[in-house]
Amino acid sequence: MATALSRQRVVERSGARTSYRFGSPLRKSQRVAGYLFVLPTFALFLAFVLWPILYTAYLSLTSWGGFGSPRFVHFDNYSRMLHDPIARRALIVTLVLTGVTTAILTFLGLVTAVLVNVVWSKVGVVVRTILFIPGIVSFVVSAVLWKLIYDPNIGTLNRLLGAIGLDSLQHPWLADHKTVLPAIVVVTVWGGLGFNMLIYFAGLQSIDPNLYEAAAMDGANTVQQFRHITVPSLRIVTGLIVSLGLLNGFKAFDIIFVMTGGGPNHASEVLGTYLYSLAFGSTSGSIPQLGYASAFSVVTMVLCTLAVIAQLWLTRRADR
Amino acid sequence: MRSKWLGKSFATFVLLPFCLLMAFPFVWMLLTSLREQNTIFNGPIIPRKFTGVAYKDAWTSIDFPLHFWNSVWITSVTVIGVLIFATLSGYAFAKLDFPFRNTLFVLLLTTLMMPSTALIIPLYLELKSLGLLDSQAGLLVLYISGSAPFAMFLMRAFFQTLPDELIEAARVDGGSELTIFRRVILPLTRPGIATVVIFQFLSTWNEFLIANTVLRNTDALPLQPVLFTLMGQYSTNWPALTAGLTLSVVPVVIVYVRMQRQFVAGMMLGAVKN
C-alpha cells in the first residue's frame, strides 16, 4: 500500500540524486555502515526472492518430477498450457475474478468512504471498525466460515432463505459451477472492503474543504462537486486500490483453496490453485509436474508485474 | 443546516443495515460456537441454550494451546527479525550515502510485489536442499526474507522524514553510525516501528500457503493450517469448528482494537503521504 506510492516517488527522483562523491573520512564511515546495514536484507533478498524468481523461470523451461535432474524442453510447457483446457479456464477465471472483485471493491470502497465521511463521527468510528474486522482475520478463517454459510444442506444462507419463504432460491452455492464464482466474489469483497474504505476515507480527509466551498459559490451541486473535485482528487488513491486489487486477484489462493479446492470440476480453478495441485498434487498422488507448474508461476509473476506497471502508469497520468 | 442533518441521517440509514450484513458472519460464528452439536441441523437459527462445550472440544482435541504457541512464537520471531533487517536497511537507503545505493534499491523494488503463490515451488525446493524443510526455522527464514523488503520500504519512508541536521550533529559529536542509529534514530521512529509491527503481526499470523506447504510435522504447525485440517475432520461438528475459528481470531482482534489508532495512522501515512 504505502510502497506503491513511494515507489513512484523513487522512480521519479532516482535520477535527481546527487551522485556519490568519494572523499572525506566521514563519508567513508558512512559508506561502510551503509553496506553493512543493507547487507543482511540484501543477502536474504538474493537467496529467497531473486534466486527463486530466476529458478522458477528456468524450471518453467524444463520437465521435472522432482527427482534426478530437470530435462530442458524449451517452451513446451507454455505451448502445452495453450492446449490444456483446465489451464485456459484457470487463466480466464483468474482474470474474470480479479476484474470483477477489483471493480466492485473500488466502487464500494469509495461509496462507503463517502458515506462514512458524511455521518456523525461517532457513527463513523463504529462503521469503520465493523467494516474493517473482516479484513484482519485470515483468509482461512473467512473461507471456512463462508463455506459453512454456503453449505447446501444446513448452511445458514439456505436456512435463512427458507425462513423467509424463499425456498425456491435455495441452492448448492459452491457445488454449482454457475454460482461458485459469485460466491467467491462475495467472500473476497467482504474481506477486502474495509481496507479500501479506510484508504479512500484517508484520501477524502486530505482534500482541502475550501475547494468545495469555492465550487458551491460557483453554483456546483453535490453531484457536480463529487465528479469534479472528489473523484479527481482521489485519482492516486484509486490507482493504488486498483493495482492492489489486481495484485491480490492474480495471486489468489487461500480462499479458493480452502473453500472449493478449485472445484466443482475446475470451475473455480485459478492460476494459484492449479499450479499448486500440479506441483504438490494433493489429488491423485501422481508425479509432481514441477516444470509445468513453474510455467504458471511465471505467468503469475508477469501478471503481478503488469499490475505494478499499471499502477505507476495510472498515477503518472494523474500527475500531469 | 437542515440539509446537512438530512445527509447525515440518510448516510447512517444506508450504512447501518450494510454493517449488520458485514458483521453477520462473525455474529453467526459466535452463536454457532456456543450451541449444542445436536441443534445445528434442525434447531432455531438463534439457539435457545448456550453452552461452552464446543470450546472445550476444540481446545483439547486439536491441542489448541500447542498450535497457538507455535503461532505466537513464529509470529514474534518473524516480527523481531523483520524489524532488525528492515530498520537497518531502511535507514541506510534513506540517510546513508554509499555507491550503488539507488541501483540496489531499485533492484529490491522491482521484486517487491512477487507473491508467495508464484514462488512457492522454488522456495520449497530451496528449503529441501538446505535441509530446512519441515522445520520452523525454515518457515522463519522464508517469512523474514519475504517480508523484510516491504518493511524496509515502509521504514525508509519514515526515516526520510527525519531531518539530516540531526544525524550530522550526532556525527560531529563523534558517534559511530551504529550508535547514532540506535541512540538517536530508532527512538524517533516509534510510529514507524509500530506500523511495521502491526502489519507484520497480522500478515504472519494469518499466513497459510507457505506454512501449509513447508511444514508436514503436525506438532510444528501454526494455527492456520491446523484450522484447515480441522475443517476436514470436523465437517459436521460445527460448534467445535467455529469455536476453533473464534479462538484463532481473538488475538488478532485484541491486537487490532488495542492498536487501532496506530494502525490507521500508519495506513494514512503510508497511503496518503502526498
Side-chain angles (χ1 to χ4, degrees):
Chain A
M1 30 134 302
T3 53
L5 285 179
S6 20
R7 178 189 315 123
Q8 166 214 348
R9 281 206 299 279
V10 171
V11 172
E12 285 166 359
R13 273 217 314 243
S14 53
R17 296 255 358 144
T18 47
S19 61
Y20 178 80
R21 291 192 304 278
F22 292 84
S24 66
L26 261 184
R27 285 204 177 278
K28 191 174 167 214
S29 71
Q30 259 197 68
R31 199 164 66 203
V32 174
Y35 280 127
L36 284 177
F37 282 19
V38 167
L39 185 72
T41 306
F42 207 74
L44 279 184
F45 160 81
L46 288 179
F48 296 99
V49 182
L50 198 61
W51 167 249
I53 290 173
L54 299 173
Y55 193 56
T56 307
Y58 158 73
L59 275 183
S60 76
L61 304 174
T62 68
S63 168
W64 194 35
F67 294 99
S69 53
R71 195 165 52 84
F72 194 74
V73 294
H74 293 288
F75 289 96
D76 284 7
N77 288 323
Y78 293 95
S79 56
R80 181 180 159 190
M81 211 186 271
L82 296 174
H83 300 293
D84 175 354
I86 304 174
R88 276 211 302 260
R89 210 188 142 76
L91 182 63
I92 291 167
V93 169
T94 304
L95 294 176
V96 168
L97 275 181
T98 303
V100 172
T101 46
T102 304
I104 295 177
L105 272 173
T106 308
F107 175 75
L108 270 186
L110 180 58
V111 171
T112 46
V114 167
L115 290 173
V116 168
N117 204 24
V118 169
V119 294
W120 293 278
S121 60
K122 281 215 169 62
V123 180
V125 170
V126 173
V127 172
R128 286 204 319 247
T129 309
I130 291 176
L131 293 191
F132 204 78
I133 294 233
I136 57 168
V137 304
S138 74
F139 285 145
V140 176
V141 170
S142 319
V144 173
L145 199 51
W146 280 90
K147 196 181 160 108
L148 302 185
I149 291 172
Y150 285 133
D151 189 275
N153 307 314
I154 50 173
T156 315
L157 185 53
N158 282 348
R159 290 190 59 184
L160 282 175
L161 287 172
I164 54 175
L166 293 171
D167 299 59
S168 56
L169 289 178
Q170 291 180 345
H171 203 81
W173 304 99
L174 297 180
D176 177 347
H177 67 95
K178 284 206 273 303
T179 50
V180 65
L181 294 182
I184 290 168
V185 168
V186 167
V187 182
T188 317
V189 168
W190 177 76
L193 181 61
F195 183 80
N196 284 6
M197 180 271 300
L198 209 58
I199 298 185
Y200 263 133
F201 179 75
L204 286 170
Q205 296 267 306
S206 68
I207 299 176
D208 183 358
N210 293 334
L211 286 176
Y212 291 106
E213 271 173 37
M217 293 267 194
D218 294 342
N221 63 27
T222 316
V223 176
Q224 286 170 321
Q225 286 179 23
F226 182 77
R227 266 207 51 207
H228 296 288
I229 299 171
T230 312
V231 173
S233 310
L234 292 175
R235 270 188 89 150
I236 291 207
V237 181
T238 305
L240 180 72
I241 282 178
V242 168
S243 78
L244 281 175
L246 295 179
L247 273 171
N248 288 329
F250 295 150
K251 69 180 191 195
F253 178 82
D254 295 12
I255 287 181
I256 299 171
F257 182 79
V258 173
M259 238 171 49
T260 69
N265 194 14
H266 301 294
S268 63
E269 200 81 76
V270 288
L271 293 172
T273 52
Y274 193 41
L275 84 86
Y276 198 80
S277 63
L278 286 168
F280 303 100
S282 49
T283 41
S284 51
S286 52
I287 298 170
Q289 307 185 40
L290 296 176
Y292 190 38
S294 294
F296 288 92
S297 297
V298 172
V299 171
T300 309
M301 288 197 267
V302 169
L303 285 174
C304 289
T305 311
L306 287 177
V308 172
I309 292 171
Q311 202 262 337
L312 287 175
W313 183 76
L314 281 168
T315 45
R316 201 42 75 73
R317 281 195 37 204
D319 290 345
R320 259 194 236 138
Chain B
M1 269 304 81
R2 205 169 139 212
S3 73
K4 253 211 161 111
W5 191 87
L6 262 175
K8 285 182 197 289
S9 311
F10 172 76
T12 312
F13 188 73
V14 175
L15 280 174
L16 287 185
F18 185 64
C19 280
L20 287 177
L21 210 62
M22 291 286 287
F24 167 77
F26 287 126
V27 175
W28 177 83
M29 176 174 88
L30 279 173
L31 287 177
T32 309
S33 69
L34 291 167
R35 66 193 307 168
E36 292 164 303
Q37 159 67 6
N38 57 10
T39 66
I40 63 162
F41 295 99
N42 44 20
I45 290 179
I46 295 170
R48 293 204 185 82
K49 214 171 114 200
F50 290 110
T51 160
V53 81
Y55 284 87
K56 227 163 71 199
D57 279 357
W59 190 266
T60 49
S61 67
I62 60 163
D63 201 349
F64 189 88
L66 171 76
H67 300 294
F68 179 85
W69 287 114
N70 281 343
S71 270
V72 170
W73 156 252
I74 289 167
T75 306
S76 312
V77 175
T78 303
V79 167
I80 292 166
V82 165
L83 263 186
I84 293 172
F85 285 95
T87 49
L88 280 171
S89 54
Y91 174 66
F93 280 122
K95 291 293 180 193
L96 296 178
D97 212 354
F98 53 95
F100 306 113
R101 181 174 81 167
N102 291 334
T103 320
L104 292 182
F105 188 67
V106 170
L107 192 61
L108 280 167
L109 221 65
T110 47
T111 58
L112 200 63
M113 289 304 180
M114 281 305 154
S116 49
T117 321
L119 297 181
I120 190 70
I121 297 167
L123 290 177
Y124 177 88
L125 295 170
E126 209 170 349
L127 283 197
K128 198 169 159 183
S129 59
L130 291 170
L132 288 173
L133 208 56
D134 222 4
S135 72
Q136 288 184 345
L139 189 65
L140 289 169
V141 167
L142 294 193
Y143 278 177
I144 293 172
S145 57
S147 306
F150 178 76
M152 177 273 287
F153 215 87
L154 274 182
M155 284 314 300
R156 177 176 165 273
F158 278 96
F159 288 127
Q160 279 178 327
T161 62
L162 298 176
D164 288 346
E165 293 75 22
L166 187 87
I167 304 163
E168 291 298 335
R171 281 195 189 119
V172 172
D173 289 347
S176 76
E177 293 293 337
L178 190 62
T179 317
I180 295 173
F181 173 74
R182 265 193 18 229
R183 293 281 158 79
V184 182
I185 305 295
L186 278 189
L188 290 171
T189 40
R190 286 234 174 87
I193 289 173
T195 305
V196 170
V197 167
I198 301 164
F199 274 111
Q200 202 53 56
F201 167 84
L202 285 176
S203 63
T204 312
W205 186 272
N206 290 339
E207 206 283 333
F208 168 70
L209 171 64
I210 298 177
N212 191 49
T213 309
V214 305
L215 288 179
R216 288 276 173 264
N217 167 11
T218 40
D219 279 355
L221 284 174
L223 274 173
Q224 303 305 331
V226 172
L227 291 175
F228 174 61
T229 46
L230 192 70
M231 185 182 78
Q233 291 166 347
Y234 279 47
S235 53
T236 53
N237 188 348
W238 286 16
L241 189 50
T242 46
L245 295 181
T246 310
L247 287 171
S248 83
V249 165
V250 166
V252 175
V253 173
I254 289 176
V255 167
Y256 173 68
V257 169
R258 286 205 46 181
M259 304 189 83
Q260 193 175 9
R261 191 176 297 163
Q262 201 96 61
F263 186 83
V264 174
M267 292 235 321
M268 310 253 164
L269 193 133
V272 198
K273 252 188 125 166
N274 311 21

